[in-house]
Amino acid sequence: MAGRFFRYRSLGELEKEINALSLNLSFEHDSSKVRSYLVQPVKLGKFLAGNSIAIHPMEGCDGTLTGKPGNLTYRRYQRFGSGGAKLIWFEATAIVSEGRANPRQLLINDKNAKSFENLVRDIKRVHKKNFGTNSDLVLILQLTHSGRYSYPAPILCTHNAYLDKITPLGFSKEGAISSAYPLISDEYIENLEDQYAKAAKLAWKIGFTGVDIKLTHGYLGNELLSAKKRPGRYGGTLINRTRFLRNVLKKIRGIVGPDFLLASRISVFDGVPFRLNKIHGKGEVHPYSLPYLEGFGIDENNPLEASLKEPIKVIRMMRESGVSLVSISMGNPYTNPHIGRPFDKPDAGNYSSPEHPLIGVDRQFELCAKIQRTFPDLPIVGAGYSWLQHWQLHAGAANIRDKKVTIMGIGRAALAYPNLPKDGFEKGTLNVRTTC
């Protein structure tokens, strides 16, 4: 599906563009070596993932109104189970009803636990049928609270001078958040810690290999990391801003014991909000002032650039708290989607990319590489591959080869092409017609 940017007829043409943009992207050209890097097993805590490809969490918004997996949810994960990836990272699942991002988001609780158990059993059955075993299949459940993007009303842990102006007061209402809009209390956050632990216990009993404490894309866990202006125990200093995360990890470990896998998907660069320029249609930066104190992983004196100083400290803290798997993401899909999901064609009503998507891919790879090289013994899952279409496996293999990442994470591409991992393992190349 050629677009405004993706018009390359060969890998050589793509590499020529990369060189012209002075980027650091590299590819493994030998298809046999592509296979050899991607089939490498990876030790995750006390578990083993049978290869180096992960299906990243992507919400289908197809659960029931009570939060159980729906028919389309089952279909999607059956396809992932038969697709060949040995790490399947389940989509964002709310731990309390008021923390759902939409009426169809999954919700884990005592009433819904059996439906999740059936889903896990179904995936394991399908995977074993196709590959002979599921003993090396790792299933992670992403636990979340949607925070300012909760439905039907925002739940704020901190005010953000820029996001408040563009956060709607409920998905069906116009308007923005005023400075008088109440923040959740320290007591509410402390209670959420227990709700996360309860949800993790359910996931453990159901048969998941582990859970992910979601720290991405502007949701509550991510926004707490940026709550520099919040008063009280959960805001201000980095020690306070990580209090929630540290407490959640400690409480979960105290319940599930030492073997259950603890993971986190973390945004290491939130970026600044962009908006549609109605004249030329491209994204442009919302005006901001310095120092920029909103967002996480941002250079306060140049917020268009990342600063990994605090993300590295948080990942080190997570590792000390027992986290043995980290997935790297960035950006906010509501305010700067080109950062987290480089694209050719924007969603309806959104802006066109203000940069060549290869720049966004390179940003993803390079920030991930800096994290991986800081923690060479910590399995890191990288993202940003989908825009490369039928050459994404060549990039993933090169990143694994060059020790920029441990596991290649596939997101959007897996929705259109669920057998992508299997084809890569068998052929070292992808079917152009089914790659989108």
Side-chain angles (χ1 to χ4, degrees):
M1 294 185 182
R4 183 165 63 91
F5 294 102
F6 199 98
R7 57 187 182 275
Y8 315 106
R9 293 169 294 181
S10 69
L11 187 52
E13 286 188 8
L14 176 56
E15 290 178 317
K16 184 178 179 180
E17 183 91 273
I18 289 168
N19 291 333
L21 293 169
S22 300
L23 303 177
N24 295 317
L25 297 169
S26 60
F27 299 85
E28 175 55 66
H29 286 249
D30 188 329
S31 60
S32 64
K33 290 184 178 180
V34 169
R35 292 197 301 271
S36 69
Y37 288 118
L38 296 177
V39 299
Q40 293 178 359
V42 179
K43 195 173 189 309
L44 303 174
K46 297 189 177 182
F47 300 93
L48 186 73
N51 57 50
S52 299
I53 290 186
I55 302 298
H56 259 148
M58 295 164 292
E59 293 172 55
C61 300
D62 49 21
T64 69
L65 291 176
T66 60
K68 296 179 181 179
N71 291 335
L72 291 177
T73 316
Y74 276 89
R75 177 178 179 270
R76 186 167 69 258
Y77 283 96
Q78 285 174 347
R79 297 174 77 185
F80 291 158
S82 62
K86 290 292 187 176
L87 172 56
I88 299 178
W89 207 302
F90 282 63
E91 65 197 78
T93 300
I95 51 92
V96 290
S97 59
E98 74 270 17
R100 298 168 80 186
N102 63 75
R104 295 289 183 176
Q105 185 174 37
L106 299 183
L107 169 68
I108 186 167
N109 55 30
D110 290 328
K111 293 181 180 179
N112 293 347
K114 186 64 178 179
S115 64
F116 282 90
E117 185 176 357
N118 292 338
L119 180 59
V120 168
R121 186 184 300 116
D122 200 40
I123 294 167
K124 290 181 177 179
R125 175 187 58 79
V126 169
H127 190 84
K128 185 175 182 179
K129 179 180 178 181
N130 282 270
F131 304 104
T133 182
N134 55 34
S135 62
D136 58 352
L137 176 65
V138 174
L139 305 178
I140 303 294
L141 180 63
Q142 185 175 74
L143 303 179
T144 190
H145 184 297
S146 298
R148 73 167 49 242
Y149 299 113
S150 296
Y151 176 88
I155 296 175
L156 298 191
C157 66
T158 185
H159 281 287
N160 182 307
Y162 308 100
L163 294 184
D164 285 4
K165 297 177 182 178
I166 55 177
T167 300
L169 285 170
F171 281 45
S172 61
K173 300 178 182 179
E174 299 295 331
I177 295 173
S178 73
S179 59
Y181 195 90
L183 302 181
I184 53 176
S185 66
D186 285 359
E187 290 71 27
Y188 180 89
I189 298 175
E190 187 174 7
N191 179 66
L192 276 185
E193 296 169 0
D194 296 327
Q195 296 301 318
Y196 270 85
K198 182 178 179 181
K201 183 179 180 180
L202 286 174
W204 174 48
K205 289 184 175 181
I206 286 166
F208 283 98
T209 314
V211 292
D212 155 27
I213 310 305
K214 185 176 184 178
L215 303 173
T216 61
H217 307 155
Y219 299 109
L220 185 69
N222 175 214
E223 196 159 70
L224 275 169
L225 293 178
S226 68
K228 297 177 182 178
K229 298 179 180 179
R230 178 186 170 91
R233 291 180 287 140
Y234 294 94
T237 66
L238 186 61
I239 290 295
N240 281 354
R241 286 182 276 131
T242 57
R243 187 182 306 279
F244 166 78
L245 175 61
R246 288 182 284 112
N247 288 349
V248 167
L249 293 171
K250 182 178 180 180
K251 289 179 179 181
I252 291 175
R253 183 59 80 206
I255 291 175
V256 302
D259 293 343
F260 196 60
L261 186 62
L262 297 183
S264 183
R265 191 155 199 240
I266 180 172
S267 289
V268 297
F269 172 52
D270 287 347
V272 300
F274 276 66
R275 64 186 181 187
L276 172 68
N277 183 303
K278 295 182 179 180
I279 297 176
H280 54 61
K282 292 183 180 180
E284 64 179 12
V285 179
H286 272 276
Y288 59 82
S289 58
L290 297 177
Y292 190 87
L293 300 178
E294 322 282 355
F296 181 66
I298 295 175
D299 184 334
E300 294 181 358
N301 296 311
N302 183 12
L304 296 178
E305 297 295 328
S307 171
L308 293 181
K309 182 178 179 180
E310 286 198 340
I312 285 173
K313 289 182 179 179
V314 173
I315 293 172
R316 181 171 289 114
M317 177 274 297
M318 288 197 293
R319 193 178 186 190
E320 292 170 352
S321 297
V323 169
S324 51
L325 174 64
V326 171
S327 172
I328 302 301
S329 187
M330 57 196 69
N332 182 325
Y334 301 102
T335 63
N336 51 29
H338 70 281
I339 292 177
R341 302 167 183 170
F343 59 83
D344 269 345
K345 183 179 179 180
D347 297 333
N350 214 331
Y351 60 75
S352 297
S353 181
E355 64 184 11
H356 195 296
L358 281 170
I359 295 173
V361 174
D362 183 74
R363 182 188 297 114
Q364 293 255 5
F365 289 1
E366 288 304 300
L367 293 182
C368 183
K370 290 178 181 178
I371 298 292
Q372 182 67 89
R373 288 168 177 165
T374 302
F375 303 97
D377 299 325
L378 177 63
I380 300 292
V381 185
Y385 293 93
S386 290
W387 190 83
L388 298 172
Q389 297 187 26
H390 44 284
W391 290 304
Q392 60 187 285
L393 293 185
H394 299 269
N399 284 344
I400 293 171
R401 177 197 68 201
D402 298 338
K403 301 187 185 304
K404 291 183 173 182
V405 73
T406 307
I407 297 172
M408 174 188 178
I410 302 172
R412 295 169 292 166
L415 292 173
Y417 191 173
N419 283 333
L420 187 155
K422 183 179 178 181
D423 282 1
F425 299 143
E426 293 178 353
K427 307 170 187 176
T429 58
L430 297 178
N431 187 333
V432 176
R433 293 185 177 182
T434 54
T435 306
C436 182

